[in-house]
Amino acid sequence: MTTAAAPTDLLYSGTEEELRSAVRALLTDRCDAKSVLDRAETGRPHDPALWHTLAAGIGTAGLLVPEKLGGQGASHREAAVVLEELGRAVAPVPYLTSAVLATEILLGCDTAEAAPLLRELASGSTVCIPAVPLTLAPGAPLPAPVRDHGGGVLTGTVTSVADAVAADVLLVLADTGLYAVPAASARLTPRVPLDLTRPLATVTLEAAEGTLLADAGTARAAVAGALLSGAGLLASEQLGLAEWCLTETVGHVRGRHQFNRPVGSFQALKHRLARLWLDVASARAAARAAADALATAAPDAPLTVAVAQAYCSGVAVRAAEECVQLHGGIGMTWEHPAHLYLKRAKADALALGTAGHHRGLVADFVELPAP
Amino acid sequence: MTVITAEHLLTRVRDLLAAHPPADTDRADFLRARFDAGLAWVHYPEGLGGLGAPRSLQSVVDTELEAAGAPDNDPRRIGIGLGMAAPTILAYGTEEQKQRFLRPLWLGEEVWCQLFSEPGAGSDLAALGTRAVREGGSGDWIVDGQKVWTSSAHTARWAILIARTDPALPKHQGITYFLCDMHAPGVEVRPLRQITGEAEFNEVFLTGVRVPDAQRLGAVGEGWAVARTTLMNERVSIGGMRIPREGGMIAPAAAAWRERPELRTHALHQRLLELWVEAEVARLTGERLRQQLVAGQPGPEGSGMKLTFARLNQEISGLEVELLGEEGLLYDDWTMRRPEGVDFTGREAGYRYLRAKGNSIEGGTSEILLNIVAERVLGLPPEPRDDKDLAWKDLNR
């Protein structure tokens, strides 16, 4: 493919900044680090009340849904801003899974059967989770572990489904098409997640009855498209997370005194944080480019998304690792929230394709083949 | 004084084994006999578990005893006592203190912990604020303060403790070193839960703890010099582990690569190979350092070994989590446990990844160690410091 880049708007609009303010204000009030940790420790990290206000009250669940289906008719650019703020707060809400991945799958199907469910998702009244492994990557072959015994009677097992425990409805990709399955008719086996704020479960269907939403060909194309959007928007979550880590760490080293002066006055630490700031600034450009390319359906969107994922994954992990390290002993404790960010950053690095997978896609897209 | 040779030691070991056959001897009885035969730490003086032999000959004794199936004194469980308290007591203790403490320490009958770090004094250890005030009548010391990162505090019988005895002096001068009874009234130990979910460490609160002057180690106000002996021994014991080729953190990562071809990608392959080579080079550097020490030519490499292993452990365990794909999203167990030591191989990759984050913090942060390399190895000038001559009480904290 040609590498000429489409014109890209990498800034934030006034509307996007207003949306950011609303989301940040809500998270500041209702999603402080201590309450996130307290929830995570109960083993049921999701905060349904927070989700309700975020999804329905502020209307973020319907950002990607057209107005004629009850949504906001906004775009990936706005959804990306929401994810930046959710990443900054390691918020335990199913936004990426329900408001991005499931919503994009249903939009991609574009069928009469999908429309009512989209309306429910847009209103925030239903949480819909795609029954695919969180590690499933755009550009990778789609697995087909679920079999249709005829008439939408489904059997199969899907591992590592993120946020499944919060689902009202599961979107199941079976051999014959895409089905909506009430979560109550699936067996969910929670697993112990590295990321305490985004729970994982194994979903088992034993002759569960689903409602057909799209045929197999349509469904597979829709899932592939949703994975691309999800990967592109995940970069914004990683950006927000990295930015929190940088800000928090700078605040700490300004206030922490050792050897009779703030530790932030030591050149070794100043240089590290300055390097991290440069990386975060670069990550912002990469994440914005991906959001804009998705919003404008740019021809080079798959490349831009792959670049963003190949870059932002590493920056988020490194920012969280630096946050732990530069907080010293405090950063190694359970009480300080740094570990929640490290765990999210590391799990995000595996979600929707690793940096290595995305570098491989870049190689394909720009025709720099392996030896 | 006779020079002790390897042959001499082997004779002693065989005599010990003949008099106390490991198969028929109680573990504690065997260890007592070994200590009294001077085969506990051969470089210690006679009567204190040693024979005044060269330190390098300890491996002769250990190898022979291990081959005979003799019990050991569980050095992992009592590592702080062996690695830090013992050499410091040997160097600075009175004859009574050495007789009282070294034997039960080596036998593992009394576990030790280290009350050095404080919430406000970690890397800048000499800034510590725990106070010890001498009582007029008894001459006892009354200690008040808080310590942190104390491994084994919940099992320890004794602690090495540094406390401030004169706040009007500069921070390095007003410190005194004590041996503290962990069962004394006013000592409170609380578990400190870590990023891994477990609690290896503790916070220790000292409230009006009475320490007799007979438990002071070294002169009043000379505690920093004593503590430096402890700290030098700590870094030796952290950097001194001997590992085989492809040992340490690279082992489970390499095993996963070989056993799970479906997990392989080109990107991971490149990183794995880079790290494998770096791990092997680090092993060889450590081995060369040990050979230099045996030859009596200690090199500066030791200052860098802990830095190298901290970075490698973190990068390799991070790679391992990614290599595992979907499984990398999982964690084995968040239950709050109280392990007796760090066991990197007994847990899964996520644990290794999180626990390795401590490697660049504990026992001297990587930043402090880089400064030490820059200043003491490379001879670079130190950053300006105005804290060395100021009275402790006038420092910014």
Side-chain angles (χ1 to χ4, degrees):
Chain A
M1 81 184 264
T2 63
T3 53
T8 303
D9 176 3
L10 299 177
L11 305 180
Y12 298 102
S13 70
T15 320
E16 286 162 9
E17 291 295 2
E18 283 168 29
L19 176 62
R20 180 198 302 287
S21 299
V23 175
R24 190 181 293 191
L26 171 67
L27 295 173
T28 304
D29 282 354
R30 304 260 300 273
C31 189
D32 59 293
K34 177 159 187 335
S35 53
V36 174
L37 181 58
D38 287 348
R39 287 194 162 277
E41 293 213 75
T42 66
R44 296 197 63 86
H46 289 124
D47 185 342
L50 174 64
W51 171 251
H52 180 75
T53 309
L54 179 76
I58 301 182
T60 61
L63 284 173
L64 295 174
V65 179
E67 288 176 70
K68 66 180 165 62
L69 288 172
Q72 311 295 319
S75 77
H76 301 80
R77 293 177 54 92
E78 289 80 10
V81 169
V82 173
L83 278 164
E84 281 183 33
E85 294 308 311
L86 295 176
R88 196 191 306 277
V90 285
V93 290
Y95 193 84
L96 182 69
T97 43
S98 183
V100 176
L101 288 171
T103 301
E104 287 280 60
I105 292 173
L106 293 171
L107 286 168
C109 290
D110 194 23
T111 58
E113 290 78 7
L117 192 48
L118 266 174
R119 284 186 179 278
E120 289 178 36
L121 284 194
S123 73
S125 61
T126 295
V127 172
C128 184
I129 302 292
V132 296
L134 182 60
T135 46
L136 189 58
L142 292 183
V146 178
R147 294 266 164 262
D148 179 4
H149 297 292
V153 178
L154 307 173
T155 297
T157 299
V158 187
T159 53
S160 303
V161 179
D163 295 329
V165 291
D168 301 302
V169 176
L170 294 166
L171 290 185
V172 176
L173 183 63
D175 49 349
T176 52
L178 185 77
Y179 292 84
V181 175
S185 60
R187 183 151 53 82
L188 301 182
T189 312
R191 305 298 304 278
V192 182
L194 177 69
D195 174 7
L196 294 160
T197 60
R198 186 173 278 153
L200 299 171
T202 301
V203 173
T204 308
L205 303 170
E206 289 156 338
E209 290 186 23
T211 307
L212 182 68
L213 302 177
D215 63 56
T218 306
R220 295 179 82 78
V223 170
L227 292 173
L228 181 69
S229 296
L233 293 184
L234 177 62
S236 289
E237 176 176 307
Q238 290 163 326
L239 166 65
L241 186 156
E243 197 170 41
W244 181 91
C245 291
L246 175 63
T247 306
E248 191 74 7
T249 308
V250 167
H252 175 74
V253 302
R254 287 166 65 96
R256 168 84 172 172
H257 281 70
Q258 298 271 269
F259 307 103
N260 205 37
R261 55 177 167 129
V263 296
S265 69
F266 287 90
Q267 204 170 65
L269 301 194
K270 283 186 284 203
H271 288 186
R272 281 171 74 155
L273 288 166
R275 275 200 299 272
L276 188 57
W277 176 85
L278 283 169
D279 291 351
V280 172
S282 306
R284 181 183 312 285
R288 284 316 280 167
D292 191 69
L294 290 167
T296 58
D300 64 352
L303 170 62
T304 311
V305 165
V307 167
Q309 268 306 303
Y311 190 79
C312 295
S313 275
V315 172
V317 172
R318 211 165 66 69
E321 290 181 339
E322 290 286 77
C323 182
V324 170
Q325 176 69 17
L326 299 188
H327 276 77
I330 301 158
M332 268 302 277
T333 66
W334 191 269
E335 287 80 5
H336 192 278
H339 70 97
L340 294 174
Y341 287 82
L342 179 63
K343 290 160 187 173
R344 170 72 72 89
K346 195 69 184 176
D348 276 358
L350 303 176
L352 295 160
T354 60
H357 173 82
H358 288 282
R359 276 193 292 272
L361 293 178
V362 170
D364 292 344
F365 290 138
V366 302
E367 293 166 5
L368 290 171
Chain B
M1 192 172 122
T2 52
V3 178
I4 309 277
T5 63
E7 290 71 31
H8 181 117
L9 286 175
L10 283 175
T11 309
R12 286 224 169 203
V13 171
R14 283 166 198 151
D15 289 349
L16 172 71
L17 290 167
H20 306 272
D24 309 324
T25 309
D26 175 69
R27 176 175 177 274
D29 288 342
F30 184 88
L31 291 175
R32 277 184 215 111
R34 176 176 167 187
F35 187 94
D36 295 337
L39 297 170
W41 33 39
V42 297
H43 55 295
Y44 274 43
E46 280 191 67
L48 293 172
L51 296 165
R55 185 181 187 139
S56 55
L57 292 181
Q58 183 67 42
S59 63
V60 174
V61 174
D62 293 345
T63 307
E64 190 72 8
L65 286 173
E66 196 185 334
D72 74 18
N73 58 341
D74 201 357
R76 275 172 57 99
R77 190 176 68 92
I78 58 171
I80 292 165
L82 287 178
M84 290 172 244
T88 314
I89 292 170
L90 184 69
Y92 284 94
T94 62
E95 202 51 38
E96 289 77 16
Q97 286 169 339
K98 293 180 203 174
Q99 292 292 343
R100 162 65 187 84
F101 290 112
L102 290 176
R103 193 169 184 270
L105 183 158
W106 188 87
L107 293 171
E109 293 168 352
E110 290 177 347
V111 172
W112 285 70
C113 66
Q114 181 195 28
L115 297 177
F116 279 24
S117 293
E118 298 184 6
S123 294
D124 185 9
L125 178 59
L128 62 91
T130 291
R131 291 294 314 275
V133 177
R134 195 150 197 187
E135 199 177 57
S138 65
D140 291 351
W141 298 84
I142 307 299
V143 181
D144 288 278
Q146 184 191 342
K147 299 287 181 175
V148 74
W149 305 119
T150 316
S151 359
S152 306
H154 54 297
T155 51
R157 180 68 183 76
W158 290 95
I160 45 178
L161 163 73
I162 45 179
R164 185 156 306 282
T165 44
D166 190 346
L169 291 174
K171 64 180 183 179
H172 292 95
Q173 293 173 31
I175 294 172
T176 303
Y177 198 117
F178 299 97
L179 308 177
C180 176
D181 182 351
M182 290 298 284
H183 292 180
V187 177
E188 188 199 345
V189 176
R190 295 184 201 161
L192 182 58
R193 198 172 183 202
Q194 293 153 252
I195 195 168
T196 54
E198 66 188 5
E200 281 170 66
F201 301 107
N202 301 275
E203 299 176 289
V204 178
F205 295 83
L206 304 162
T207 312
V209 177
R210 180 173 293 272
V211 178
D213 192 54
Q215 287 167 215
R216 172 167 49 80
L217 197 64
V220 174
E222 299 292 322
W224 186 248
V226 186
R228 282 174 61 102
T229 301
T230 308
L231 295 173
M232 278 189 292
N233 280 286
E234 176 178 24
R235 283 174 194 151
V236 167
S237 65
I238 286 179
M241 296 164 296
R242 187 169 202 161
I243 51 171
R245 173 176 285 165
E246 205 185 284
M249 288 282 198
I250 197 75
W257 185 270
R258 293 191 187 102
E259 291 158 17
R260 307 280 300 276
E262 77 280 9
L263 299 175
R264 296 175 194 166
T265 70
H266 288 295
L268 289 170
H269 192 221
Q270 291 304 313
R271 285 171 58 200
L272 178 70
L273 289 171
E274 278 174 33
L275 290 172
W276 196 96
V277 169
E278 286 183 42
E280 173 65 1
V281 172
R283 184 187 73 82
L284 292 169
T285 310
E287 184 56 33
R288 183 162 186 278
L289 178 66
R290 260 182 297 276
Q291 292 176 11
Q292 286 176 308
L293 286 174
V294 170
Q297 308 156 356
E301 289 87 343
S303 314
M305 291 308 291
K306 183 178 172 294
L307 279 165
T308 301
F309 280 114
R311 183 181 62 78
L312 275 176
N313 284 349
Q314 293 175 357
E315 290 187 12
I316 294 168
S317 58
L319 175 75
E320 194 188 351
V321 169
E322 284 177 51
L323 169 63
L324 291 175
E326 236 181 288
E327 286 165 50
L329 291 171
L330 303 175
Y331 195 70
D332 56 0
D333 187 2
W334 290 118
T335 310
M336 183 169 131
R337 318 174 182 201
R338 309 234 57 197
E340 289 214 331
V342 188
D343 181 7
F344 276 118
T345 54
R347 298 279 300 267
E348 291 180 10
Y351 172 85
R352 279 192 278 284
Y353 173 69
L354 294 174
R355 181 58 185 82
K357 292 283 165 254
N359 290 167
S360 50
I361 297 170
E362 60 203 345
T365 62
S366 290
E367 289 71 28
I368 291 287
L369 296 183
L370 281 168
N371 273 343
I372 290 174
V373 170
E375 294 176 13
R376 297 192 199 157
V377 178
L378 303 178
L380 293 169
E383 295 200 39
R385 288 180 60 175
D386 61 4
D387 58 327
K388 285 189 167 169
D389 302 319
L390 270 180
W392 176 82
K393 62 184 172 58
D394 297 329
L395 294 175
N396 291 318
R397 282 189 302 279

